Amino acid sequence: MVAYACDPAGGGEHWLGWGWASEMSRDHDIVLFTTSRGGDALLAAVAERGIEVHCIDVPRWVRWLSGFPPGLGTWFRKFWWQGMALKKARRLHARIPFDLVHQTTFHTFRVPFSCAKLGIPSVWGPIAGGERVPPGFEKYLGAAAKWEKFRAFVNHLNLGFPWVRTSLRNSSRIVVSNRTTLGFLPTEFHEKCVVISPNALREEDMVTPAPRQKSEIFKMLFVGNCAPTRAMPLIFEAVAANFPVEWRMKVVGAGTALDFWREETARLKIADRVEFTGPIPREILQKIYQESSALVFPALRDSGGSALLEAMTLGLPILTFDWGGPGEIIDRDSAILVKPDTPEQTIADIRFGLLDLATHPDRAALLATSARRRALQLFRWQDKARIITLLYGEVIKQSNSSVVLESIQEGYN
């Protein structure tokens, strides 16, 4: 298992990298390739799980170069690390052959899967990176709009690079995080792809929610990294003018979009109704979830969305977009899903959806109950492990791939 980002004490991609290794080690002998970032916590965790770990670190001069220029230098470090991982894998494979190689992180198609060159069954992913902001929504990104155009250009450029094409070609199966990325990948590789959201529940997430407090005020909540692509100005515009329900909103988190979002609330004259709290400790955040009426998560480009899973397990009604990662985590039976086609229609649909949640508490409660059930049925680590084990069996035994992939996708959906 190749997981550059893998730290049991880390967050985000590092926590997901460790989650895959930890869960799959219950039924498989895992040899883990990662870095020494996890330190003693990683060494203690792999010892407890019986995982053989190899910490691979790039030379100091490569780390130094990774800062020049920004972005490109970081990619160079990751590319170099991939080469080191392949060399070590070949040495170990010659001594005691592996049955299969699985690269879980990096969580992007742009960094190659070099160990797929071992010539054995291989699984790549979950990979993302093909998500894009739908055209027409640029003004809701603020100054980040130019970066989004550049990113889209770089993405298409990457698809033509030989190391990306080789990784796609050499992988026996490709786990893709969402249908948006699947649609971005060349169609010639779609037959070997299966869509599985990378997000999974932590043990502390699986708590029984307390009864929700009733309130005369409709309390909206956003939680997460305040990135420009999580386009909160769309929500602001939807409720700014003549929204027929008394409302308040909390934005929990930090990020580069905060200044722009604050400017938008001032422009729309709703600054007195929107509270920007900054990051909040987890134990306090759970109380805020419980006091809120609905989670809003207007992600125009997102491969996942951990706040959605948190809200689902805590029984909080949700409004989000049927686009990218959120569209895989939740469905129309368990949330208000808005398709971001045009800004005008999207804002109208957001307004209608929020009004529906605010004025039909029984329907909101029904959606929340369905969302919690979906989270506990599909997003526990053991559920992820069951699906990936099916993939492992398929690629090793070379069984009927279409039947296996259909079974996986049907169970996931």
Side-chain angles (χ1 to χ4, degrees):
M1 187 167 282
V2 182
Y4 179 92
C6 182
D7 182 356
E13 193 172 4
H14 285 276
W15 177 75
L16 288 172
W18 168 247
W20 288 112
S22 174
E23 194 60 40
M24 298 311 294
S25 71
R26 296 180 189 275
D27 296 307
H28 305 82
D29 294 328
I30 302 292
V31 177
L32 174 66
F33 284 10
T34 185
T35 71
S36 60
R37 180 188 189 276
D40 292 339
L42 173 65
L43 296 179
V46 295
E48 182 181 344
R49 288 292 189 195
I51 297 171
E52 178 185 334
V53 64
H54 294 266
C55 293
I56 302 169
D57 294 305
V58 299
R60 185 174 298 177
W61 67 269
V62 174
R63 291 201 302 273
W64 180 80
L65 280 177
S66 67
F68 306 96
L72 186 59
T74 301
W75 178 88
F76 174 72
R77 181 183 74 241
K78 294 173 180 178
F79 197 92
W80 192 277
W81 187 89
Q82 285 279 348
M84 294 175 65
L86 177 59
K87 286 181 182 178
K88 180 173 278 291
R90 281 173 168 159
R91 289 198 299 269
L92 294 177
H93 183 55
R95 194 174 73 223
I96 304 176
F98 296 112
D99 297 300
L100 175 142
V101 57
H102 180 186
Q103 179 165 299
T104 57
T105 66
F106 311 90
H107 185 209
T108 174
F109 77 92
R110 290 183 292 267
V111 177
F113 177 16
S114 296
C115 286
K117 294 179 180 178
L118 287 174
I120 61 175
S122 56
V123 176
W124 188 17
I127 59 168
E131 305 83 17
R132 60 177 177 82
V133 173
F137 287 84
E138 291 78 12
K139 81 170 195 173
Y140 297 95
L141 307 179
K146 291 180 180 178
W147 158 247
E148 282 301 311
K149 289 182 179 179
F150 177 70
R151 179 186 178 277
F153 167 75
V154 170
N155 263 1
H156 283 283
L157 198 63
N158 269 266
L159 276 186
F161 289 158
W163 47 86
V164 173
R165 304 284 299 190
T166 299
S167 297
L168 291 167
R169 189 165 50 249
N170 287 344
S171 300
S172 304
R173 289 289 173 258
I174 304 168
V175 179
V176 186
S177 290
N178 53 74
R179 287 163 290 168
T180 310
T181 289
L182 176 63
F184 175 78
L185 296 177
T187 55
E188 65 192 275
F189 302 112
H190 284 194
E191 279 192 5
K192 62 170 70 175
C193 294
V194 58
V195 176
I196 302 172
S197 170
N199 294 76
L201 293 170
R202 299 173 185 263
E203 287 296 327
E204 56 265 34
D205 290 330
M206 290 185 281
V207 297
T208 302
R212 189 157 302 286
Q213 300 177 12
K214 292 184 179 180
S215 173
E216 297 300 318
I217 300 174
F218 185 59
K219 299 177 180 179
M220 290 169 277
L221 174 67
F222 169 87
V223 178
N225 177 23
C226 299
T229 52
R230 292 173 173 176
M232 284 299 291
L234 289 166
I235 303 290
F236 301 154
E237 284 200 15
V239 297
N242 302 316
F243 194 67
V245 173
E246 186 65 24
W247 64 272
R248 296 290 185 274
M249 189 182 303
K250 283 187 178 180
V251 176
V252 177
T256 58
L258 276 178
D259 288 343
F260 175 56
W261 291 359
R262 286 193 178 98
E263 290 169 6
E264 287 296 284
T265 62
R267 180 182 67 83
L268 295 166
K269 298 182 173 54
I270 57 172
D272 59 331
R273 297 188 180 197
V274 181
E275 179 185 357
F276 295 92
T277 69
I280 285 179
R282 186 174 183 80
E283 59 275 12
I284 299 175
L285 180 57
Q286 285 212 346
K287 187 171 184 294
I288 293 176
Y289 272 116
Q290 208 60 51
E291 294 171 346
S292 300
S293 308
L295 179 85
V296 292
F297 199 81
L300 291 172
R301 176 174 64 77
D302 213 304
S303 62
S306 58
L308 292 173
L309 276 184
E310 292 173 354
M312 290 164 74
T313 56
L314 291 171
L316 180 62
I318 294 168
L319 181 144
T320 189
F321 288 165
D322 187 9
W323 185 246
E328 308 303 333
I329 293 175
I330 205 151
D331 63 8
R332 293 188 180 276
D333 293 329
S334 49
I336 301 293
L337 276 181
V338 173
K339 195 74 175 176
D341 292 325
T342 67
E344 296 77 18
Q345 186 61 50
T346 299
I347 290 169
D349 289 345
I350 290 172
R351 182 182 177 88
F352 181 83
L354 291 175
L355 189 58
D356 188 16
L357 292 176
T359 56
H360 296 88
D362 291 343
R363 169 167 158 72
L366 196 64
L367 288 172
T369 299
S370 176
R372 176 173 167 79
R373 183 167 56 247
R374 178 177 172 84
L376 296 180
Q377 286 178 348
L378 295 178
F379 289 92
R380 298 173 303 167
W381 271 118
Q382 54 262 49
D383 300 318
K384 302 287 181 182
R386 174 181 56 80
I387 292 169
I388 296 300
T389 295
L390 279 175
L391 272 187
Y392 286 179
E394 186 267 321
V395 299
I396 290 174
K397 297 174 184 176
Q398 296 182 335
S399 56
N400 189 314
S401 61
S402 62
V403 171
V404 172
L405 292 185
E406 257 181 51
S407 169
I408 290 170
Q409 206 64 69
E410 182 180 346
Y412 181 71
N413 290 336

